[in-house]
Amino acid sequence: MVTLTIDDKQVTASKNATIYEAAKAAGIQIPVICHDKKLNPFGGCRMCLVEVEQMKGRQIPACTTPVTEGMIVRTTTDEIIKARKMVLELLLLKHPIDCPVCDAAGDCDLQNLTYEYKVNTNRFQDEKFNWKIDYENPLIERDMNRCVHCGKCARICDEIVSYGAYSFINRGINAKIGTEYDGPLNCEFCGSCVSVCPVGALVSRPFKFKARWWAMNKVKTVCGYCGTGCQLTLGVKDSKVLTTIYDENQGFHNGQLCTRGRWGYQFINSDKRITTPLVKKNGSLQPATWEEALNVVSAKLKEAKSTPDSLAALVSPRLTNEELLLTRKLFKDLLGCDNVDHSAGYAHTALTSGAKESLGYPASPSVVADVQKSDLLLVINADLYQTHPVLGFEINLAVKRQGSAIQIVSDKKGKLSKLPEAKTSIYKPGAELLVINAIAKVILDENLLDSSAQSTGGFSAWQKGLESLSVDQAADQCGIAADEIKAIARNYAKAEKALILLPTGMGYPGHGKELAQAVINLALLTGKVGKEGSGVLILGEKNNSQGAADLSIHPTSGGKSALDIIAGCVSGSIKTLYVAGENPVVSYPNRKLVETALEKVEFLVVQDLFLTPTAAMADVVLPACSFAEKDGTFTSALGAVQRVNRAINPVGESRSDFRILNDLYNAVSGQPAFTDVKAAFQELSGTVAGYAGLSYDTLGDEGSVRPVSGTATFVPVAAAAPATESGKLALVTGSALNHSGTLSVYGEGPMLVCPEAYVELNREDAKSLSISDGDQVAIKSSTGELRLKAKVGSRLPKGVVFAPYHFADASINTVTAGSAVTFVTIGK
């Protein structure tokens, strides 16, 4: 720490701090335009000029100058004020004065500083720029006539997003921010550039002319898409969510969002929302009152109470913790039904079975801060960037800023493969478990294990289970060379801090219990559990997947899993099915089987925001609220319990899942389970491991990382050679960057960029099949057949094809049945 004086105030700051950071921490405001706390100091705008006595009063930029012991700084001398005014005059020289029609008005740093410094005349005169405005991008409008050359867009795109869509082009007075060949912007559409732009050069097209910034209420909450748990601020007017608002001080991610969080909010106020209960009459769904709908449903639940095995519930991990607790109390405690599950029954087993058995708790032993503290990141499947993009930003920062090494083992390449010195080892689809076991065998054979491993429970049995594994044979079977496997093992074992990252989800059937236990075994073998910058991050797919695991929203007393529930509907053993937020027709394996199940079940209730293909088959549809219309908590995959705050009134007659479930509990038992959400959280904190001591009122905006504790043990996991079928392609499924589950297809932003299903092929395979990019192709498997648009590229190895699972039209589960790999033929 060093001590310095700023404007006659003694300040203590880190020796690595800049003058700007020291002043800000002390409550002294220094104006900036080009600075952002996430980005490396740039010093381009010169608004932050200050005087340092030891430098003989020379004006220097505060954002790039480090503090020194005894430094004396003045930030508001007459000369400094004069210099800042001149900077503003120069910035305004070419800047159009079109504030009345600029969407950034009220949120524009240049406008606000011009007002603050009373720059109402300009001594300099010149013609304004007349650059062509880019209207072609569906989400981002670029007007370089307003650009002030702060470089924030180019810097955030390079430093954090690691895409590089922008760069300075030309020189001198003709310099500007340009794109590839100075054409229309074509990127991954995360919107980070719009968030950090200090003026109106980059604006959100979906938000354009919707409202002035000062006319909106700003409501802090948590994103309702993936499990990363990003905090966000919603811009609200007239009980509608109009945009997301950037706040560099919000969350571990400093306000930066991915493409879904930034642009996918439109589903909240979508015209497709269900606004009234629906009850099936004479073969079709008809509008009904809440009283009628709840009476019909509660009567069926009361009837099922005497035969709880004939009742089942499929519940989405998008519900809040309090709503999931109510689900458990209603179905498991009150009705005695253990046929309760979520996420197709397999997408949560990495946590609920794998981690639970291996670590003693259904969660990751590591947290988000470990990513940038690690020496080596071992990523299982390059799709992690697609499933959890903001965590992908953290990985980018770890590699590019902190110098972490990254090793990816995957069935395909991905964006993470393009990071500096990234190593990507491609295995045959379905071979991930064999690869992990082979890495562990190398560590055993070369005696690279940590001294703590042999004293950990289950070690001997686990070691014995690997005795017969030949690394050379495994290499032949999995497709990664033996020397490459050995190098991965040595690098991982020798790294002082190494972190394994494993994405999970309904598009990744192979990322379940066994794979989670295999990577935990690997971390235990090398002593990397419970160590800073090390361990394992098992990443639940949905916004509250971790909460669902913590609350045991799955069978715990011999009940049926999700896929067994579907089978039970087909056989007739399940007579009443309650679906809350899930869309199994589109997202569960084998669409034809699911549709048959929902047709055969005697009584189907669906509680959702939209009339999904699943809801369309229901006997009763209950309109639910989005995350923006209710209060509660989510638990992120990174262990943070965070407040969800109601931003708008419920759309139409929709009700929160909490209210619906509480009303049903009341109808069945004669009294509500809870008086309100706060009471539910109080019970939750007293009954769920890790939540003890947490208070709903004190979670605040930042939330709290709940602790985990348990006894680790090695668990033997057998791995077989991946299956193959001669003459067929190996289809793997997963997530597309712009989508999350089946909810994002109702958001305008994601659908503008990725509007339809597709199948991705390797160029060589496409050439041999005479398929060009954009062709409609037929995909056939033993389960079914469908037609999709072809996307041809170089990401996939020869013989492997990929398809995302989000889309209802031409859904990929038409040809898949729940295996990690589906063998298909493709042709025109």
Side-chain angles (χ1 to χ4, degrees), residues 278-287 611 615-621:
L278 303 172
V279 175
K280 185 171 285 185
K281 299 175 183 178
N282 299 320
S284 63
L285 289 168
Q286 302 294 327
L611 195 65
M617 302 182 71
D619 295 289
V620 178
V621 179

Side-chain angles (χ1 to χ4, degrees), residues 455-479:
S455 60
T456 301
F459 176 80
S460 297
W462 172 77
Q463 184 182 33
K464 187 173 182 179
L466 288 181
E467 283 180 356
S468 61
L469 176 64
S470 162
V471 175
D472 289 336
Q473 185 179 15
D476 289 338
Q477 293 172 339
C478 75

